[in-house]
Amino acid sequence: MHIALRIALAASAALLTLGVAQAQEKTLKIGTEGAYPPFNNLTSDGQLVGFDIDIAKALCDEMKVKCTFVAQDWDGIIPALQAGKFDAIVASMSITPERAEKVDFTHKYYNTPPAIVAPKDSDIKGVSKEDLAGKTIGVQGSTTHFNYSTKTYTDSTVKPYPTAQEYQLDLANGRLDAANDDIVVLQQWLDSPDGACCKLIGAIKPVVEIHGPGAGIAVRKGETDLVNQFNAAIDAIRANGKYKEINDKYFKFDVYGGDS
């Protein structure tokens, strides 16, 4: 009986150890676009880099899980999450009521304003509806910036593009009068040789009902535990200095956008 009991206890301990090991080895698949620098981008050798990627890695370290990354076209990123292609989206996705009907969000991990850019010789003076009347504005489709442009610039032609790089190319080549996107994305482009054509017209005051409270991490509906784990990890890296370390690698200001 004593031998049998020892064998049973040993077996239970082994199963417990295996369960702990499996928990420690849990892998999360993170979906991102890979075409939205400096937040996420694919290098020439196929590596995903950028602020989103570094933040995701820091959050995974804090959660003590292994993370792998999947590049996904923006238009299909929510359907791919819902289909189980990955477990979470870390891709500068603005938290909006429309998206919240399809996915669950963490609280924000950054919040920056949108802006308008135009060619250096443009006569555009500001970012209002009147300033852009009669102009053709390029913007990435299926984004809050596209929604804002179509609702606000009703006297303009708003042209959607699959990626930011594509509207940037058309703007540089004179096929657009202006473009609307996140100010950080636009400023990085303006600071590059490709963006030498153009200038920043001005920032747009965000409309919470359209732009949301910031960019969050999206998971499948009902996965509350995962949302809570991400939220705790976001708070932890904000508190322990890791967020600032990543922030300062990419930006000269706090991209988090205040305490709200």
Side-chain angles (χ1 to χ4, degrees):
M1 291 295 292
H2 288 280
I3 294 173
L5 181 59
R6 284 199 295 270
I7 292 172
L9 289 172
S12 297
L15 286 172
L16 180 60
T17 301
L18 179 60
V20 171
Q22 287 175 335
Q24 291 173 338
E25 293 170 0
K26 180 180 179 181
T27 298
L28 282 178
K29 290 184 179 179
I30 306 294
T32 195
E33 184 186 11
Y36 199 61
F39 294 103
N40 59 77
N41 197 34
L42 269 172
T43 64
S44 58
D45 60 353
Q47 298 298 308
L48 281 163
V49 297
F51 178 79
D52 287 332
I53 310 306
D54 287 356
I55 288 291
K57 289 177 179 177
L59 296 177
C60 289
D61 287 345
E62 188 67 34
M63 294 160 62
K64 295 180 170 55
V65 296
K66 179 182 177 182
C67 279
T68 58
F69 292 88
V70 179
Q72 171 68 47
D73 289 345
W74 181 256
D75 285 348
I77 203 164
I78 287 180
L81 173 69
Q82 293 170 324
K85 187 173 179 180
F86 32 79
D87 303 299
I89 297 170
V90 185
S92 294
M93 180 172 282
S94 297
I95 302 164
T96 66
E98 294 80 9
R99 289 172 179 155
E101 293 176 0
K102 302 174 183 178
V103 299
D104 284 345
F105 280 105
T106 65
H107 53 238
K108 73 170 186 178
Y109 65 98
Y110 83 84
N111 190 18
T112 50
I116 294 290
V117 295
K120 286 182 175 177
D121 61 356
S122 173
D123 61 356
I124 298 172
K125 303 299 183 185
V127 301
S128 70
K129 174 183 175 179
E130 293 74 23
D131 289 320
L132 287 149
K135 306 297 186 181
T136 300
I137 306 167
V139 60
Q140 186 174 4
S142 302
T143 64
T144 56
H145 307 298
F146 178 75
N147 293 341
Y148 177 84
S149 291
T150 55
K151 290 178 181 179
T152 303
Y153 301 124
T154 52
D155 295 331
S156 308
T157 300
V158 178
K159 186 175 180 181
Y161 288 81
T163 67
Q165 287 95 329
E166 288 169 270
Y167 76 66
Q168 290 166 0
L169 183 63
D170 270 8
L171 186 59
N173 289 330
R175 292 189 283 269
L176 292 170
D177 299 306
N180 176 14
D181 208 332
D182 184 283
I183 194 169
V184 174
V185 172
L186 294 174
Q187 190 61 59
Q188 188 195 51
W189 178 64
L190 293 176
D191 291 341
S192 73
D194 290 339
C197 60
C198 300
K199 63 183 178 181
L200 182 71
I201 299 298
I204 296 168
K205 184 178 180 181
V207 177
V208 174
E209 293 78 12
I210 298 176
H211 296 106
I217 297 168
V219 304
R220 283 181 288 275
K221 295 291 288 184
E223 295 195 353
T224 307
D225 287 347
L226 186 54
V227 169
N228 291 338
Q229 290 174 46
F230 273 122
N231 280 338
I234 292 168
D235 292 342
I237 66 170
R238 285 284 296 169
N240 66 21
K242 186 63 179 179
Y243 186 98
K244 185 178 187 305
E245 177 187 325
I246 297 169
N247 183 102
D248 293 352
K249 175 180 174 181
Y250 294 95
F251 312 113
K252 296 178 181 178
F253 60 95
D254 185 1
V255 77
Y256 190 76
D259 295 328
S260 61

